[in-house]
C-alpha cells in the first residue's frame, strides 16, 4: 500500500548487539518522526527529520541511539550495544508538511524490539 | 513542561453505552490537540483534532472540544460499538518542531 512501512516488524536481539530499524515514509512526505513506545505507555518522541536534516534529536535516550535520513526519504534508526531497557515498539511517522502546525502524522505499524 | 494526562484504563462498557475518556494537558503556548486510536494489530490512526480553543473535532461519532479554560480535550461518544474496542491516545502538538506529545493511552473494551 501507500502507507508508512517499517521493517523488521519483530526483532529479537541479545544484549550488546547492534540493531537497525528501517522506515519507508509515504512518498513525498517532508517530515519524519521516530517514537519509542514501551509496553502500556504512550509513544515518546525520539527524533525528527525535515527532508534529510535532523532538526530535533532531543528525545534520543543515549548516544547509543542514532538516526539518519541521508536522501530525505528512507530513514534508519540504529541502536548500538542494545540493553534490556531498549525493549519497546519503535514507531515511525511521516507528514506531508514541514515544521509545526497541525498536519496529520501517518504512523507505521512499528518495529517491536525485544532485547534478551 | 508540556504533558498530557489521560484517565487510566482499562475502560469496559456494554454496547450502546456512553463513553467519556478524560484528557487534560499542560503546555507552554497554544497547542493543537489530537486523539489517536490504535486498533489491535494496527498502527496509530488519527481520530480527530482541534487546533484552537472552543474548536470541536469529530469523526466516526466521536467528539472532543478544546477547552482552554480547563486545559481539557475529553473524548466522547454517545453509543459505543464492539468495533470501537481499541487503545485511545490523547496528544498535543506545539507549533515549533511539530512533535506530538502523547498521554499514556486508555484501553477501551466494548462488550456485546
Amino acid at each position: 500500500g501507500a502507507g508508512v512501512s517499517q521493517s523488521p516488524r519483530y526483532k529479537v536481539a541479545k544484549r550488546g548487539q547492534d540493531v537497525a530499524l528501517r522506515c519507508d515514509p509515504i512518498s513525498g512526505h517532508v517530515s519524519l518522526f521516530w517514537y519509542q513506545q514501551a509496553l502500556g505507555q504512550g509513544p515518546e518522541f525520539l527524533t525528527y527529520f525535515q527532508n534529510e536534516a535532523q532538526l530535533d534529536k532531543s528525545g534520543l535516550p543515549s548516544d547509543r541511539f542514532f538516526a539518519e535520513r541521508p536522501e530525505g526519504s528512507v530513514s534508519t534508526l540504529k541502536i548500538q550495544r542494545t540493553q534490556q531497557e531498549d525493549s519497546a515498539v519503535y514507531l515511525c511517522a511521516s507528514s506531508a508538511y514541514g515544521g509545526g502546525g497541525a498536519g496529520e502524522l501517518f504512523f507505521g505499524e512499528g518495529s517491536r524490539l525485544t532485547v534478551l | 513542561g508540556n504533558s498530557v494526562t489521560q484517565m487510566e484504563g482499562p475502560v469496559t462498557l456494554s454496547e450502546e453505552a456512553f463513553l467519556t475518556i478524560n484528557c487534560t494537558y499542560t503546555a507552554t503556548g497554544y497547542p493543537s490537540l489530537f486523539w489517536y486510536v490504535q486498533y489491535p494489530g494496527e498502527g496509530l490512526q488519527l481520530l480527530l483534532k482541534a487546533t484552537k480553543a472552543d474548536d470541536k473535532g469529530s469523526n466516526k461519532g466521536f467528539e472532543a472540544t478544546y477547552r482552554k479554560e480547563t486545559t481539557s480535550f475529553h473524548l466522547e461518544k454517545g453509543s459505543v460499538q464492539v468495533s470501537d474496542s481499541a487503545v485511545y491516545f490523547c496528544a498535543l502538538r506545539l507549533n515549533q518542531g511539530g512533535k506530538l506529545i502523547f498521554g499514556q493511552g486508555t484501553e477501551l473494551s466494548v462488550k456485546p
Side-chain angles (χ1 to χ4, degrees):
Chain A
V4 178
S5 178
Q6 293 187 244
S7 60
R9 290 290 313 280
Y10 303 91
K11 176 69 178 178
V12 178
K14 292 183 179 179
R15 190 162 63 94
Q17 282 185 330
D18 297 349
V19 299
L21 308 176
R22 176 187 170 104
C23 173
D24 280 89
I26 293 172
S27 178
H29 274 199
V30 170
S31 294
L32 186 145
F33 299 80
W34 283 99
Y35 287 82
Q36 180 189 58
Q37 187 176 16
L39 188 64
Q41 300 297 314
E44 296 275 348
F45 170 80
L46 293 178
T47 187
Y48 160 61
F49 291 85
Q50 182 168 306
N51 297 308
E52 69 279 3
Q54 189 174 20
L55 298 187
D56 187 346
K57 53 182 182 179
S58 62
L60 295 176
S62 76
D63 59 7
R64 296 186 296 103
F65 286 71
F66 172 78
E68 60 183 4
R69 194 186 185 199
E71 297 178 358
S73 178
V74 170
S75 178
T76 304
L77 176 67
K78 298 179 180 178
I79 309 173
Q80 297 177 323
R81 303 180 304 280
T82 53
Q83 304 295 315
Q84 284 189 322
E85 61 263 29
D86 300 335
S87 296
V89 176
Y90 291 86
L91 299 173
C92 177
S94 69
S95 168
Y97 302 94
E104 182 174 353
L105 289 192
F106 295 85
F107 282 82
E109 294 183 354
S111 292
R112 181 179 296 277
L113 172 64
T114 303
V115 182
L116 302 177
Chain B
N2 304 304
S3 65
V4 175
T5 302
Q6 295 180 229
M7 65 185 286
E8 289 195 14
V11 173
T12 302
L13 296 174
S14 297
E15 205 165 21
E16 299 184 2
F18 184 85
L19 169 71
T20 300
I21 300 178
N22 290 337
C23 171
T24 57
Y25 68 90
T26 302
T28 54
Y30 302 96
S32 296
L33 300 175
F34 302 81
W35 277 99
Y36 278 81
V37 59
Q38 190 170 35
Y39 298 104
E42 298 184 16
L44 280 165
Q45 302 174 25
L46 178 64
L47 181 60
L48 54 83
K49 69 180 183 185
T51 59
K52 61 183 188 297
D54 300 324
D55 270 3
K56 177 185 284 188
S58 61
N59 186 27
K60 300 182 181 181
F62 290 89
E63 292 183 342
T65 301
Y66 188 142
R67 300 288 189 199
K68 185 180 175 184
E69 63 276 12
T70 55
T71 62
S72 65
F73 192 55
H74 305 320
L75 183 68
E76 297 182 336
K77 186 175 185 181
S79 177
V80 292
Q81 305 301 311
V82 172
S83 57
D84 294 326
S85 298
V87 182
Y88 292 81
F89 292 92
C90 185
L92 68 83
R93 185 173 183 179
L94 294 163
N95 286 333
Q96 55 271 34
K99 65 186 179 187
L100 285 166
I101 297 169
F102 288 89
Q104 76 273 29
T106 303
E107 182 180 0
L108 170 66
S109 177
V110 181
K111 305 298 185 186

